[in-house]
Amino acid sequence: MSANEEYSFFGAVEKSFDRAAKFTNWDPGILEQIKACNAVYRMKFPVRMDDGRIEVIEAYRVQHSQHKTPCKGGIRFAAEVNQDEVMALAALMTYKCAIVNVPFGGGKGGIKINPRKYSVYELEKVTRRYTAELVKKNFIGPGTDVPAPDYGTGEREMAWIVDTYASLRPGEIDAAGCVTGKPVTQGGVRGRREATGMGIFFGIREVCQMPDVMEKLGLTVGVEGKRVIVQGLGNVGYHAAKFFHNAGAKIIALAEYEGAVYSEDGLDVDAVFEHRKKTGSILNFPGGSNFAKNTDALEYDCDILIPAALENVINGENAPRVKARIIGEGANGPLTPEADEVFVTKGTLVVPDMYLNAGGVTVSYFEWLKNLSHVRYGRMEKRFTENMNQHILGQIEELTNRQVSTRERQFIMHGPEEVDLVHSGLEETMITATREIMDAWKSNPQIPDMRTAAYVVAINKVGTSYAELGIFP
Ligand code: NAD
């Protein structure tokens, strides 16, 4: 890249795509269509601020692909939002959805504001006006384009969006499906909060179940006893660490921006979390020792490293010192392309973000299905299942002349709640996606890494959709 040439995030995504496309057999025209951003809506609108001033807000919504509809992707509020970034993130959503078999095209939205500089009332006005602009151009709707939270947005903003949409489209029976990540009281789904961390755990666990992969890495099969390090104790990192801990892995180090702690005996994730909440710092945790620098945690010897905080934390400079055998990308883009090259040479397995952190969009899909079906998961079958289980258990006890313990009885009898079904759907999704990517990788030894294999899987799925749709004259 020349000095005057600006870095393009979308260009970088296109490069990764081209690298993987070489391992597919699609017509160049189809590949060009898969890569292209189908629609970019750049808008400006005025909002009156609390002090009476009128501010003109810049915002975007990009629909990268309509090979499946609706399009799907978060809305971010950040001062750095620009068209190139929104296009890149929308493209990544297309590939992410394809990999985890979520039948959506990729989309993404952005509003160029720093949300910390606005009052709640101002943010509400900006969000509602943005939604109205999307409605005017048919860029939102349960069948066209379904946003979700991203940086700087959450359940509150999604509630404003659904409310604005529903009031502009009175009588639209599926209006709740116009956005996901809503509060449960506004049509959200239980189990979404922990979904990304849980998906990361399911993905890595599946890789650890593959004897040939573990043998190459010099590791034993299974998650139990594995030494795990997590960077970032936020939504993604905290839940991922908890699920590894619960499965019998040892969390030997945790890193936050103010520092990092370790203990070869294993850290109690909740105790560290509480300590940080109480003292304002992860450092000086009574059950562990401090690292000199927080980045030291990335280079400490371990089996599995989960960077779940920021982008570009492992690069060409520190990658040679990283000792982990498996790196699970919890954050978006924690490894640079230079780091990828180092790990291919070292034989470290990098499990790529594009699929590993897809738990959030997968559960968003379940939320959208719930909204379209207008019924809570489990409502129809919970009691029926419990009655059947009761009956079966009674028969077994009668035939064997033995009583099961109260604890076992509760477990066997239990009919599925919404959260059980959401977790089970997520587990199935991550296991299937892991196997598909690994199969693609194994089928062609020329594919250098799991990231490229994931792209190959995505390109093949989107390509098949286009081929099946037919190309209009
Ligand atoms: P979060 O804000 O809840 O957590 C991030 C954590 O990282 C915070 O606790 C923060 O203090 C910590 N952190 C910041 N700088 C750090 C540093 N230098 N070293 C160590 N820790 C540091 O955010 P999140 O929702 O957990 O998202 C984390 C990453 O995962 C982001 O890249 C995000 O795009 C990605 N992601 C999130 C989701 C989701 O569902 N939340 C889904 C897919 C991808």
Side-chain angles (χ1 to χ4, degrees):
M1 193 164 61
S2 79
N4 338 339
E5 222 179 312
E6 263 189 52
Y7 169 78
S8 161
F9 186 5
F10 186 62
V13 173
E14 286 191 306
K15 265 192 208 144
S16 303
F17 179 97
D18 290 340
R19 203 177 314 128
K22 285 190 298 206
F23 300 105
T24 70
N25 297 315
W26 294 102
D27 180 286
I30 296 256
L31 290 172
E32 199 181 325
Q33 173 58 55
I34 299 172
K35 229 172 30 165
C37 254
N38 287 359
V40 178
Y41 177 22
R42 173 174 177 267
M43 68 200 92
K44 295 224 176 190
F45 52 81
V47 175
R48 192 177 292 283
M49 297 298 153
D50 293 348
D51 60 4
R53 222 172 15 94
I54 291 173
E55 194 173 315
V56 177
I57 306 286
E58 181 178 328
Y60 300 86
R61 183 74 193 169
V62 171
Q63 296 175 346
H64 173 260
S65 175
Q66 277 102 352
H67 72 288
K68 302 264 180 202
T69 46
C71 294
K72 186 95 192 77
I75 295 173
R76 68 171 49 177
F77 286 4
E80 300 76 28
V81 161
N82 61 69
Q83 184 174 323
D84 177 77
E85 180 189 76
V86 187
M87 284 168 67
L89 293 166
L92 289 173
M93 283 304 295
T94 294
Y95 309 134
K96 183 178 280 198
C97 289
I99 289 169
V100 290
N101 298 313
V102 163
F104 294 144
K108 202 81 185 185
I111 303 186
K112 195 176 169 56
I113 54 165
N114 176 351
R116 282 184 291 275
K117 292 197 174 150
Y118 294 82
S119 70
V120 172
Y121 184 47
E122 287 170 339
L123 287 175
E124 179 173 349
K125 283 206 279 187
V126 169
T127 310
R128 287 185 181 276
R129 179 63 194 255
Y130 175 72
T131 310
E133 294 296 327
L134 295 180
V135 170
K136 277 196 242 170
K137 292 277 193 294
N138 205 22
F139 260 67
I140 184 171
T144 47
D145 193 346
V146 181
D150 196 71
Y151 280 121
T153 58
E155 290 183 3
R156 179 183 68 180
E157 286 73 16
M158 303 307 113
W160 290 332
I161 291 173
V162 71
D163 184 56
T164 310
Y165 181 86
S167 36
L168 292 173
R169 292 273 164 85
E172 189 176 310
I173 194 158
D174 292 329
C178 77
V179 69
T180 60
K182 303 178 291 290
V184 172
T185 52
Q186 307 297 317
V189 74
R190 290 161 190 86
R192 195 184 187 284
R193 203 160 288 155
E194 65 274 27
T196 305
M198 190 181 230
I200 290 167
F201 167 70
F202 286 144
I204 299 282
R205 186 190 64 184
E206 191 55 22
V207 166
C208 290
Q209 293 296 345
M210 298 177 171
D212 51 336
V213 177
M214 290 299 102
E215 196 187 330
K216 257 199 225 153
L217 293 168
L219 297 172
T220 53
V221 173
V223 159
E224 211 179 327
K226 291 271 181 306
R227 298 164 68 250
V228 179
I229 295 179
V230 179
Q231 183 199 38
L233 255 192
N235 176 282
V236 176
Y238 168 76
H239 287 111
K242 281 278 293 183
F243 289 115
F244 275 106
H245 174 80
N246 293 346
K250 232 197 247 180
I251 309 296
I252 56 163
L254 289 167
E256 256 296 334
Y257 71 89
E258 70 276 5
V261 291
Y262 69 96
S263 163
E264 280 297 339
D265 296 333
L267 296 162
D268 177 335
V269 181
D270 275 328
V272 175
F273 191 82
E274 282 309 312
H275 167 79
R276 183 166 188 252
K277 217 161 97 184
K278 214 166 79 195
T279 65
S281 170
I282 200 170
L283 293 169
N284 305 322
F285 174 65
S289 312
N290 296 338
F291 278 111
K293 304 192 298 295
N294 63 355
T295 47
D296 288 351
L298 299 172
E299 299 171 20
Y300 194 68
D301 181 59
C302 67
D303 300 320
I304 301 169
L305 171 66
I306 312 281
L310 305 168
E311 56 281 350
N312 299 340
V313 291
I314 303 177
N315 45 49
E317 194 275 319
N318 60 357
R321 298 192 297 276
V322 171
K323 296 176 194 68
R325 302 301 296 135
I326 300 174
I327 301 176
E329 290 188 307
N332 278 316
L335 269 60
T336 64
E338 294 74 34
D340 268 348
E341 281 172 29
V342 172
F343 293 127
V344 169
T345 313
K346 281 183 17 169
T348 307
L349 177 67
V350 175
V351 187
D353 50 1
M354 208 165 62
Y355 111 94
L356 193 65
N357 67 25
V361 72
T362 303
V363 174
S364 272
Y365 168 48
F366 301 154
E367 179 177 334
W368 178 78
L369 291 175
K370 174 186 181 179
N371 297 148
L372 298 193
S373 65
H374 301 264
V375 62
R376 168 174 55 80
Y377 288 106
R379 179 170 172 177
M380 306 300 281
E381 65 268 45
K382 182 176 158 57
R383 295 291 156 186
F384 179 80
T385 308
E386 287 183 355
N387 291 339
M388 284 301 277
N389 291 349
Q390 163 89 326
H391 187 76
I392 294 166
L393 195 57
Q395 289 292 306
I396 293 173
E397 285 180 333
E398 206 177 298
L399 285 170
T400 58
N401 220 3
R402 282 181 58 193
Q403 293 265 310
V404 301
S405 69
T406 312
R407 197 154 162 262
E408 276 303 309
R409 174 175 298 278
Q410 274 169 356
F411 183 77
I412 296 168
M413 287 270 299
H414 177 76
E417 308 273 356
E418 179 164 86
V419 72
D420 301 320
L421 293 167
V422 164
H423 287 174
S424 155
L426 177 57
E427 183 173 9
E428 162 62 17
T429 302
M430 293 307 295
I431 291 175
T432 305
T434 310
R435 290 183 185 169
E436 284 181 354
I437 296 170
M438 283 305 198
D439 286 348
W441 194 10
K442 283 174 199 164
S443 72
N444 188 342
Q446 303 297 316
I447 295 177
D449 52 20
M450 199 173 166
R451 191 186 311 283
T452 310
Y455 263 100
V456 169
V457 169
I459 293 170
N460 283 336
K461 286 188 186 173
V462 182
T464 305
S465 277
Y466 275 117
E468 280 168 1
L469 280 176
I471 304 296
F472 294 109

